[in-house]
Amino acid sequence: MKVVTRFAPSPTGYIHIGNLRSAIYPYLLAKQNEEGSYILRIEDTDQARYVEGATELIEDTMKWIGLDWDEGPGKGGEHGPYFQTQRREIYIEWAKKLITKGRAYADPTPSETVAKYREEASKNKQAFLYRNYRPSETPEWELGMPLRFKADPKDRYYHDEVFGDMHMAPETQDDIILIKADGLPTYNFAHIVDDATMGITHIFRGQEYLPSMGNYLALYEALEVEAPKFVHLPHILAPSGNKKLGKRDGAKSAVDYRADGILPEAMLNFLACLGWNDGTEDEVYSKQDLIDRFSLDRIQRAGARYDEQKLVWLNGQWIRRLFAEDPKALYARTEGFWPESAADYDDDYKFKIFSIVYDRLKTFGDLKTMTPYFFEDPSVDMDMLTSNKALKKLSEQELCDLLRKATAKLGELKEWSAEMLQQTLNDLLAETEQKPATLFGLIRLSVSFAPFSPALHDTLSVLGRETTLARLNAVITCFGRD
Ligand code: GLU
């Protein structure tokens, strides 16, 4: 069976993490299928929520995370156009089919009256159903008038790939609006027409659409189209696990994670595993692994808890994996993440730095805070030295003497390489009878004044002889001792 899936976002500006997950599963399913096709469709019929530039943001984010669509904006294809606002004639044509069958009617009721009906129902503690107020006289429908579906409420049954066998009671079915007064279709109508005309075989979307399924089933029936398979995805839960993940729960948008320096490989891996697993203990999956192993029956019915720590952990795993595969290629992706002071330095130098810090990065964003001392002299901070846990056991005189010894010994080095530096530092350790935390800590802090740095011999080797000795001497001067 040919699998055709789609991602159908609305261009409202903010790409919620849950939305992006809804883009991944249909992609994986389509890619598992030899003739499978994955369509991107922009659901832009809600003009009030439309945000300029949002479509570009969606396309950009999908490309970034590696979800290349087979048909859609910028790609074309046999089922276009792919913007709902460009498909008006198609909806009208399908709406007319319903009018002809007596299953849709023009609604002349002013919106104030509809509001009154709603109030009345709420006063009587009844669920509001428009079909209880269906107008007795309806004019011939023309553009500019809302067009409503004429519901035929009854018990309806369907199977959901995640939620199982479902029943929709008659009370869930109503005279929903198909075409609004502005001439554009509602989501409720448009997606059904689009999915049918685009040959969609599986629809993936959030569980918030479950209550509307009664209406959708009625529409499939009235339009005489075969319903696709339904894959409703459970909510992503807040880290506390007791409510739906909201904007305020610390989850950023995909765009923000990208700007923070999260790798798309990690993001894809993380989101795909938010509510799906393959039954093994594995945690790191490439896109190809996901395509190979994804299956609908392993999507969890319970909501998955959003755990940002896991995303950061996966990002670290991916940094290491990609570095092992091709360090230069990974380095090339760090552009834009370096501190401003790095602008004057060439790629060779920055690559050397990257090679010694990459395994400590949580995100590329850490480059900004972890590497400035490679590009500019740090200001000497004597408090940082003297309050250090290992160093405060020594007097200032002792610290100063140690630094002098180290500076002299390093100054004699013929070859300034990581190996020679390691050898010399070990010799110094033996000579001074200090603990590594003390001696190396002192030198490390004196050249970096940073809370973390890579292995000392690597750091000094990249900084170079001149810079290292100058920084050590600057600290010696600050001690102001003979
Ligand atoms: N435009 C809808 C949304 O963004 C799509 C839902 C669907 O995939 O059918 O929520």
Side-chain angles (χ1 to χ4, degrees), residues 189-479:
F189 183 52
H191 86 275
I192 292 200
V193 172
D194 290 341
D195 290 340
T197 50
M198 293 179 174
I200 304 296
T201 57
H202 296 71
I203 65 180
F204 292 74
R205 65 184 162 205
Q207 73 174 96
E208 60 275 18
Y209 290 95
L210 281 175
S212 309
M213 278 301 294
N215 290 318
Y216 301 157
L217 295 171
L219 272 169
Y220 289 119
E221 194 179 81
L223 290 166
E224 295 173 52
V225 297
E226 199 187 323
K229 288 196 187 307
F230 300 101
V231 191
H232 284 99
L233 302 173
H235 291 313
I236 295 175
L237 304 178
S240 59
N242 56 11
K243 62 173 172 76
K244 203 175 137 188
L245 179 72
K247 274 193 200 174
R248 283 194 212 99
D249 297 311
K252 298 178 200 161
S253 79
V255 179
D256 292 334
Y257 282 118
R258 180 183 182 177
D260 285 351
I262 290 283
L263 290 167
E265 287 87 346
M267 197 71 194
L268 182 76
N269 188 163
F270 171 70
L271 289 177
C273 296
L274 213 50
W276 169 86
N277 66 68
D278 66 357
T280 69
E281 298 286 301
D282 296 348
E283 298 197 90
V284 185
Y285 296 93
S286 67
K287 184 162 88 174
Q288 193 55 50
D289 296 335
L290 291 169
I291 294 171
D292 294 342
R293 302 209 213 166
F294 179 73
S295 69
L296 293 177
D297 60 359
R298 294 213 57 96
I299 297 177
Q300 307 301 300
R301 201 181 297 184
R305 216 166 45 83
Y306 185 79
D307 178 3
E308 200 179 79
Q309 297 292 325
K310 179 79 187 280
L311 171 61
V312 171
W313 177 81
L314 276 172
N315 200 55
Q317 298 293 312
W318 272 102
I319 290 177
R320 273 169 222 123
R321 185 192 271 214
L322 294 171
F323 188 89
E325 274 171 24
D326 188 345
K328 283 258 157 79
L330 185 64
Y331 163 74
R333 294 166 62 177
T334 61
E335 200 186 324
F337 289 102
W338 292 88
E340 256 169 56
S341 49
D344 303 335
Y345 291 82
D346 63 13
D347 282 328
D348 280 349
Y349 183 62
K350 282 189 283 186
F351 177 67
K352 274 190 207 148
I353 299 168
F354 185 62
S355 306
I356 62 173
V357 301
Y358 79 93
D359 60 347
R360 283 159 205 256
L361 300 175
K362 287 198 177 108
T363 68
F364 282 170
D366 288 343
L367 286 171
K368 273 210 167 61
T369 50
M370 282 171 62
T371 65
Y373 61 88
F374 285 105
F375 305 106
E376 56 192 334
D377 289 333
S379 31
V380 176
D381 177 352
M382 295 309 272
D383 281 347
M384 191 167 177
L385 281 188
T386 50
S387 64
N388 176 276
K389 204 168 147 226
L391 302 187
K392 68 180 173 201
K393 294 180 190 141
L394 273 67
S395 70
E396 286 200 10
Q397 185 67 59
E398 285 169 313
L399 289 174
C400 186
D401 287 345
L402 261 184
L403 265 187
R404 280 215 177 92
K405 263 194 202 125
T407 311
K409 183 115 187 153
L410 290 169
E412 287 163 11
L413 248 180
K414 295 253 159 6
E415 184 199 321
W416 194 268
S417 65
E419 296 74 39
M420 292 308 290
L421 281 160
Q422 183 160 28
Q423 170 96 51
T424 309
L425 289 167
N426 285 338
D427 292 348
L428 255 172
L429 207 57
E431 268 171 43
T432 56
E433 295 179 347
Q434 289 292 344
K435 291 201 179 97
T438 311
L439 178 72
F440 295 172
L442 176 64
I443 301 174
R444 198 173 59 76
L445 279 176
S446 300
V447 296
S448 70
F449 287 98
F452 306 103
S453 72
L456 186 58
H457 59 281
D458 284 333
T459 307
L460 300 187
S461 142
V462 172
L463 279 175
R465 179 195 301 268
E466 217 176 297
T467 306
T468 302
L469 297 179
R471 289 188 189 175
L472 295 177
N473 280 320
V475 177
I476 293 170
T477 311
C478 280
F479 272 119

Side-chain angles (χ1 to χ4, degrees), residues 88-98 189:
R88 290 170 208 242
E89 292 81 37
I90 305 175
Y91 307 123
I92 307 257
E93 187 191 314
W94 281 65
K96 284 189 175 152
K97 282 190 209 172
L98 290 175
F189 183 52

Side-chain angles (χ1 to χ4, degrees), residues 6 8-10 19 43 187 191 204-205 209:
R6 47 54 165 193
S10 300
N19 241 348
E43 303 206 324
Y187 164 77
H191 86 275
F204 292 74
R205 65 184 162 205
Y209 290 95

